[in-house]
Amino acid sequence: MLKLYDTTLRDGAQAEEISFSVEDKIRIAHCLDDIGMHYIEGGWPGSNPRDIEFFKAMRSRKLKNAKLAAFGSTRRSGVKAKDDANIKALLSSGAPCVTLVGKTWKLHVEKALRVPLKENLEMIFDSIKFLKPKVDKVFFDAEHFFDGFKDDPEYSMKTLGAAIDAGADCVVLCDTNGGSLPSDVGGMTGRVRMRTPAAIGIHAHNDSDMAVANTVAAVQEGAFMVQGTMNGFGERCGNANLCSIIPALKLKMKIDCITDERLRKLREASRFVYELANVRQFKRQPYVGDSAFAHKGGIHVSAVLKSPQTYEHIRPELVGNHQRVLVSDLSGRSNILYKAAEFGVDLASKDEVVQKLLHDIKALEHQGFQYEGAEASFELLVQKALKKRERYFRLLSFRVIDEKKKEDEAPFAEATIKLEVGGVVEHTAAEGDGPVNALDKALRKALERFYPSISEVKLLDFKVRVLGGVEGTAARVRVLVESGDGVERWGTVGVSENVIEASWQALADSLEYKLYKDKKALRAAKA
Amino acid sequence: MLKLYDTTLRDGAQAEEISFSVEDKIRIAHCLDDIGMHYIEGGWPGSNPRDIEFFKAMRSRKLKNAKLAAFGSTRRSGVKAKDDANIKALLSSGAPCVTLVGKTWKLHVEKALRVPLKENLEMIFDSIKFLKPKVDKVFFDAEHFFDGFKDDPEYSMKTLGAAIDAGADCVVLCDTNGGSLPSDVGGMTGRVRMRTPAAIGIHAHNDSDMAVANTVAAVQEGAFMVQGTMNGFGERCGNANLCSIIPALKLKMKIDCITDERLRKLREASRFVYELANVRQFKRQPYVGDSAFAHKGGIHVSAVLKSPQTYEHIRPELVGNHQRVLVSDLSGRSNILYKAAEFGVDLASKDEVVQKLLHDIKALEHQGFQYEGAEASFELLVQKALKKRERYFRLLSFRVIDEKKKEDEAPFAEATIKLEVGGVVEHTAAEGDGPVNALDKALRKALERFYPSISEVKLLDFKVRVLGGVEGTAARVRVLVESGDGVERWGTVGVSENVIEASWQALADSLEYKLYKDKKALRAAKA
């Protein structure tokens, strides 16, 4: 059976901006175990103390399915395997499996390693021969295999031969520089397969944007082990992305490498790893990204609602994802109907309200409004179109003052606000880190007196986008605000030439939405 | 010769969070023209007013290399081509090329379109036949071709036949759902090639993380037109990424689709499109991303410094990128030297000033400053570190007031400012469209009395980015301002939790830079 070999904790950690603590690594190892990886490469114990600590910590922990692997290079020139510090570190890691990387490209042997070609073969053979009886499995990562094979097939085959003769359980062909095309990887993997009965693996990098395709091409030619990382983390452009490879193997090539149930946890696992890496998720990421099954074009939406397979290559639920419909000026009537239904509003398609709403949205989007990510503002717009909007508060006036009194001092920001709630006027003020923050604080302060639940609302994100681009400081800006109350998250939008006005619209929508949704929930509970 | 067909402005704009203004589209079209795209698909005039406006605006503009294409679907059922609103919109767009999308998969004809199979063929034939004599080129986008061909090869070949018989200049095989593997795409493209002498194109989506590989597979089987988008923007997981495809074609497959000189502009063009889309760049993006040639692992770094090809699949300069070494202060120091040299400042590497500047820049970058695109602020920083900064004005104070007096009225913004120039105090005020605009106007008004050349400065662009993302309205913002005086353009930057303070920093730098550079030019003229 095909084996999945994850190297997020070793090769993945080579990515710019990624640095896992020992605790992070332990949590990720359990997550990888849960979704059914067969091997988890935990680190390079010979290269840094954190990895040594990780393997030490893992000795007292049990994995359900996976086996841990420690990574290192073949012995150095002129040193016996048993005396090589790196190889000793591999053994003392206590990992049941060892993956040794060795040179297979003459250029590297001569220019980087600087040893005779023959000695490199001995270094591979000795290292594996020494380790093999002491651990469960030894894998050989044939570094730069495809570049080496192109350059001199005989020499690179000899390096594989040395590993196989010494007892390697699998020889893994590495596209280390990520420069190969699938036709090359497939072709060369097939040629290796013809020349050795040994088990072959594939380890691809994404420098040509083809790591997933290269991996699949190798599997089609008989590779039985697939190395990669979660979300494609890794040095330079990253490694082959297991979040894309696993569903391709399972759903498209019908290779039963993990269970259906575990495949459904893929999106959750992907997000977990992003969280621990503290890296923003890539929305357009295949299979597991937020946008992977998000439809915007009107024609697509109307078709996908009739029959999902019209614009979805797999059912999103199979990988734990879900369909989304976005609303924008590219959308047709179907998007509006779908969204309205999500909000519990049933609009018949020929309804005048839908026509009017569609017209309003197109006009608003032309002004720069955007309702993707601002579903709460959209829902309030629907309520308004239906003439069902309830007013929880009315603005009478606000004033924001921003004053800088010395060249090297931060300015002082203050907002005053006058609101009316059910005939009662509230006039208050607040200071803030900036004018928008001051206005935000003053608005909440004014409303909390009437609606204590406002204090539950937190502003989670605040985005400003300058629209147009040739009008300098008089350009229109769009403000997107994301809010949450510990139960739900919602987004709102505002557009104006005045950044404070645009922020006001988005903030006012956010708090109005909170009051509206609380009331809706109350009504639902009573019913 | 192979043709590059860019659809960033149409299919790319279907991406979540992307919404181009007409002005954005015009600027991107010129950028695409500059890097040598053969065709630029500008939009779908039948679907939204913004695209109609774009084509209208383009009529008075000249492209150097590219031809514009307008996109639309085949005529509706039961309507003559000449009476079809969508087809009429294509013609009135004035675009020299037209790309028509039509159904080739029985499932879609029956479930989405709901017309008899035969009528679909007529719709394709009629539409192309009608358009062909009226425009330079008609391309047929064979939607869902690979799914359709798998399902019923004969029917999908008939749809291509209808297009070819009607005079289509190219039939473009679309992997609309992005679900195909390269082996499928290559195989089926080859089979189509055997059955028709017509020109074939490829249009791939990235839902399986293989759009680039699928495109290359089709080219290897004879496709002569490649459709894709900059940075892979597009609906769901995006379209085939032209920033990855172009270098693969040119450097790996030796297909001479653009000149070397234009290839070197690829990274710049990629970043330009990200900026206008206001989307964060994807660091690990192949070829053009910030991390694409960034080396972190110690072994890699030492090898790559000896011989770049050990860990780089191409020379980064070929696509306008550069090697980065993510290690120590050493790499930082060479960056500073490199940049300072660009500004004509010669700093010896061990100079104390370099040390201090390096320290300052690291601290400022940590706060969120960024000097890419803000070279004028960087140059002023160097002048300051060299203790050569000349003060043209000093701020004594400013105050900005933003007042909203009615719920449905735009607020009123006013700024007062007090400056000192050579011992003379100027105290003045201005109104604006928003607080930043008011401050901008007041600052210019105060300075023009002393420095008449300030009136030459125009603010060309103003961008706001919220840094971090969890602190709501108290988050820090970075403001980038681009200015010009008809001779030069320059960028400046400001960072603060207060959007007005951040704008102030960038505006003040911009005007200081104008005065500094005028003086420098004067000195150079005298010398």
Side-chain angles (χ1 to χ4, degrees), chain A residues 240-257:
Chain A
N241 188 347
L242 287 173
C243 297
S244 300
I245 292 170
I246 294 172
L249 296 175
K250 172 96 181 164
L251 302 174
K252 297 181 189 244
M253 298 165 71
K254 312 293 176 199
I255 296 173
D256 196 26
C257 50

Side-chain angles (χ1 to χ4, degrees), chain A residues 16 143 296 311 372 460 469, chain B residues 17 143 235 291 311 460 469:
Chain A
E16 183 168 8
E143 201 189 14
K296 184 165 159 185
Y311 289 97
E372 292 164 37
L460 304 172
Chain B
E17 291 185 316
E143 202 189 14
E235 193 154 29
S291 303
Y311 289 98
L460 303 172

